[in-house]
Amino acid sequence: MTQNLRLGVNIDHVATIRNARGGLHPDPLRAAQLAAQAGADGITAHLREDRRHIGDEDIERLIHEIDLPLNLEMAATQEMLAIALRHRPHAACLVPERREERTTEGGLDVAAQESVLQPTVAALRDAGIRVSLFIAPERAQIEAAKRLEAPVVELHTGACCEAWLVSPGGAQWQMELDRLRAAAALAEELGLECHAGHGLTFDTVQPVAAIREVRELNIGHFLIGEAIFSGLDSAVQRMRAMMNEARAARTA
Ligand code: PXP
């Protein structure tokens, strides 16, 4: 870990490629090992209800065979809670999940579902699992996370990254970045640890990494895609180096 900013590598899409043929290759566990050697501080995996990428056996192997902390992304369902309590990963990130979505499209509406989420957050916390809530960078969501006594919020960077694609560095991008900055400051003010992720690339990572209050970035799809061209170790190393550079420039 450098400059207090951890990199969690999400390996879901290694499993997506494996599952396209139904065999064992490429193995997400091997990707996790490579990511660890290349500078990842943690491994993130999303066990979806439909098991479209990561499967139950992957979680079992990641828990037992990888030295890095596992951040299990999960929907707040009874099934996923039972799995989390059985494996006790280092962290569990609660995410919204809809079968028809291609990826986690929005943040969890914690403000609207406080009482529904409360038992899941409490059960995970009581089991010693660090609970994180994946939310839009909005005041109401952060305040609701605080009331739920979740120690961590992960800010959804999807809108910010989409704005970059529409107009790199443009007004919408600047506005979304400002929203992230304000949300991260509020999270810290309320005593919540702040993480961020979704859609980050080499183009977008540095301004987000430069936000002082952000302590962890979770990055998956871009790194696994980039690995096709440069190898996973090179992609992770470069992302790590860019994060370090952004952090160092901030404190220089
Ligand atoms: N953080 C959370 C909570 C996510 O659900 C995802 C996507 O699974 C990511 C980070 C990583 O997003 P991406 O794969 O776009 O880098």
Side-chain angles (χ1 to χ4, degrees), residues 10 12 73 93 95 104 134 154 197-199 218-221:
N10 181 316
D12 291 350
E73 288 178 5
C93 180
V95 300
T104 313
F134 187 45
E154 179 166 331
H198 208 279
N218 284 300
I219 309 179
H221 183 266

Side-chain angles (χ1 to χ4, degrees), residues 8-13 44-46 48 53 71 73-74 93-96 103-106 132-135 154-158 161 196-201 217-224:
V9 173
N10 181 316
I11 50 154
D12 291 350
H13 296 301
T44 295
H46 184 176
R48 280 182 167 267
H53 36 58
N71 174 30
E73 288 178 5
M74 54 178 264
C93 180
L94 297 183
V95 300
T103 178
T104 313
E105 278 162 12
S132 146
L133 301 177
F134 187 45
I135 56 171
E154 179 166 331
L155 302 178
H156 199 307
T157 53
C161 293
H198 208 279
L200 292 168
T201 66
L217 297 181
N218 284 300
I219 309 179
H221 183 266
F222 177 80
L223 285 174
I224 304 307

Side-chain angles (χ1 to χ4, degrees), residues 124-173:
L124 291 167
R125 211 183 40 226
D126 292 350
I129 300 168
R130 198 156 169 79
V131 185
S132 146
L133 301 177
F134 187 45
I135 56 171
E138 292 166 5
R139 172 175 283 275
Q141 302 298 343
I142 297 166
E143 289 176 346
K146 172 70 181 173
R147 285 193 295 276
L148 277 178
E149 297 179 56
V152 181
V153 286
E154 179 166 331
L155 302 178
H156 199 307
T157 53
C160 200
C161 293
E162 273 164 34
W164 178 273
L165 292 178
V166 173
S167 173
Q172 184 69 24
W173 152 262

